Amino acid sequence: MVLCNAENFNKICQSIQIKDPKKIDIKKIPVLLNQTHDGSVPGFYSSLVGIVTKENKQHLLGSSPEEKAFVRQWLDYAVTTVNYVDLPNVSRQVLKDINVTLGDRTFLAGNVQSLADIVLYHLLFKAVSNLTLQEKEQFLHLSRWYNNLQQDSNIRGSNSTLTFSRTLLF
Amino acid sequence: MAVGDFKSEKGVKDLDAFLAERSYVDGFVPSQADVFVFEALAKAPSSATPHALRWYNHIKSYQGAEKQKLPGKKEDAEAAKIREERLAAYAAKKSNKPALIAKSSIVLDVKPWDDETDMKEMEAKVRTIAMEGLVWGASKLVPVGYGIMKLQIMCVVEDDKVSVDQLTEEIQNFEDFVQSVDIAAFNKI
């Protein structure tokens, strides 16, 4: 199983809030019709960037050159690594890496919420919901970021709200 | 979150602990609460408080005008003025209240010079002592033994105006009558 699949692609598109769903018929995007045997969507990343640009939501791709680079890097990372996060050993490493990154920034690309945050929110949903409270506490920065993202009902979409509670006693 | 003194090291530490699991001071989007705390900080948090530093850098990324536009109630000039007036009225009311005067009730034991001392006259002499803030009260004669009596006299003094040492000294100045003066009881009222 991979995570950059048609289901997540749809969820992300909903989170981006495409104004006129008819104009972009997700089901008719050619790449989605070419799913490989394992369910991955070739061109996952470039299709998303294309949709965002078409919808005039370029702010989701970052405004400064630095932010733009970050967003693209994270999208790359999503396709190449987070894609396999349903494998336990990958999951651990990915969560760890993201947690470290979020230690000194509010969002993945720095100070603005971007497409990278939305994409990773959806790709990581299973992995994060499988964490115990104690593990969530270990990934403190990740939990903070994830909890912040899931408060936006547009981003959350049909996903349920995960519980993050931090007690000082275990 | 209890608002502490963000200028102090402890305040920044508390803020750090608070922000460990939160992206913003209040809610899930930047608001005036963030701006308020940001401005209350004396300087950028050090790397010893990483969560506060992360938040600080994030809020710093909003330029001046953007900061003002963040949602949340910003106390306007009108509200500030009304609050100032109320504070002033309260201060005035407080200062009009009479200050509490500290007083003490004292019982003095005055022992006569010898068995032939005229107790009546001794008492009259003691009562002649007049000081500001000193009021003499009831008195009685208490037998000490062998027919000798001592004078027990009450008085109320204002602590700020009357020194008890000075009072006993003045009584002892009637050397012909008084041998010694002791304080039998001393109560604050």
Side-chain angles (χ1 to χ4, degrees), chain A residues 42-62:
Chain A
F44 185 84
Y45 158 26
S46 36
S47 309
L48 282 176
V49 173
I51 289 175
V52 166
T53 320
K54 210 167 179 185
E55 284 290 309
N56 272 328
K57 289 187 185 264
Q58 276 92 341
H59 64 272
L60 285 175
L61 298 175

Side-chain angles (χ1 to χ4, degrees), chain A residues 2 4 12 27 33 35 52 57 63 65 80 102 108 115 123:
Chain A
V2 290
C4 292
I12 294 164
K27 291 202 178 76
L33 301 172
Q35 284 176 20
V52 166
K57 289 187 185 264
S63 41
T80 56
L102 288 168
L108 288 172
L115 181 62
L123 296 189

Side-chain angles (χ1 to χ4, degrees), chain A residues 103-106, chain B residues 12 15-16 19 44-60:
Chain A
D104 61 353
R105 60 186 77 181
T106 305
Chain B
V12 176
L15 179 69
D16 186 59
L19 288 170
S46 68
S47 54
T49 52
H51 309 298
L53 180 62
R54 181 251 309 151
W55 166 86
Y56 183 89
N57 285 333
H58 183 52
I59 302 303
K60 204 170 73 179

Side-chain angles (χ1 to χ4, degrees), chain A residues 103-107 111 140-141 144 147-148 151 166, chain B residues 17 20-24 28 50-51 54 57-58 61:
Chain A
D104 61 353
R105 60 186 77 181
T106 305
F107 297 109
N111 293 318
L140 183 60
H141 307 298
R144 187 254 311 151
N147 192 20
N148 199 64
Q151 304 300 324
R166 200 167 162 248
Chain B
E21 53 186 320
R22 292 172 182 82
S23 291
Y24 303 104
F28 298 97
H51 309 298
R54 181 251 309 151
N57 285 333
H58 183 52
S61 75

Side-chain angles (χ1 to χ4, degrees), chain B residues 131 133-137 154-157:
Chain B
M131 288 188 211
L134 166 68
V135 180
W136 291 109
M154 260 172 56
C155 64
V156 174
V157 299

